[in-house]
């Protein structure tokens, strides 16, 4: 098991930037996939970006070129840098760990609000 603690988020105007961080309670294993998901009101939770310990990244088309996911294995931390934010990026953002057996662990979520 792993506990995930998120920080960051908040309110920003269109075009602004925010940084989200997620600290895991244990080392990130080579078989883990760390990800950021988001859920807007009335919508399903969706993958925003993911990264492995080796640094393999994956992004949703809607955030490519604007968001950057990174990992600090020494600090067991995954960061999501969000630039050029749009109102449609408004959502609760969740950190996720998917382990070798396919089990999902979630952080508590952090609100990101982008005002127009």
């Amino acid at each position: 098991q792993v506990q995930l603690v998120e920080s960051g988020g908040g309110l920003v105007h269109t075009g602004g930037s925010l940084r989200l961080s997620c600290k895991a309670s244990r080392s990130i294993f080579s078989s883990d996939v760390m990800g950021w998901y988001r859920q807007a009101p009335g919508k399903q939770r969706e993958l925003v970006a993911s990264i492995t310990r080796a640094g393999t990244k994956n992004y949703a088309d809607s955030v490519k070129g604007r968001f950057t996911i990174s990992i600090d294995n020494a600090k067991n931390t995954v960061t999501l840098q969000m630039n050029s934010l749009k109102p449609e990026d408004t959502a609760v953002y969740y950190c996720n760990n998917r382990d070798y057996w396919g089990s999902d662990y979630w952080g508590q979520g952090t609100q990101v609000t982008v005002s127009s």
Side-chain angles (χ1 to χ4, degrees):
Q1 286 191 344
V2 61
Q3 283 76 48
L4 304 171
V5 179
E6 299 136 340
S7 60
L11 173 64
V12 67
H13 292 297
T14 297
S17 298
L18 285 172
R19 179 186 294 259
L20 305 182
S21 291
C22 172
K23 184 169 177 60
S25 60
R26 60 156 175 78
S27 296
I28 298 170
F29 301 146
S30 59
S31 54
D32 289 337
V33 179
M34 298 294 297
W36 285 97
Y37 287 71
R38 66 187 181 188
Q39 188 167 19
K43 295 188 177 182
Q44 289 189 331
R45 192 172 295 189
E46 63 176 358
L47 175 67
V48 176
S50 66
I51 191 168
T52 65
R53 179 181 174 87
T56 300
K57 303 176 185 180
N58 182 48
Y59 294 97
D61 288 342
S62 60
V63 307
K64 284 180 180 177
R66 300 189 297 123
F67 291 10
T68 301
I69 191 169
S70 59
I71 191 167
D72 185 334
N73 292 311
K75 296 182 178 179
N76 304 333
T77 298
V78 175
T79 299
L80 184 69
Q81 177 66 42
M82 305 185 293
N83 298 328
S84 302
L85 282 161
K86 305 175 181 180
E88 51 263 45
D89 295 317
T90 295
V92 178
Y93 284 69
Y94 296 91
C95 181
N96 170 268
N97 170 279
R98 179 165 294 174
D99 68 14
Y100 176 82
W101 293 275
S103 295
D104 284 312
Y105 301 91
W106 298 93
Q108 77 280 6
T110 185
Q111 177 70 46
V112 171
T113 303
V114 185
S115 63
S116 57

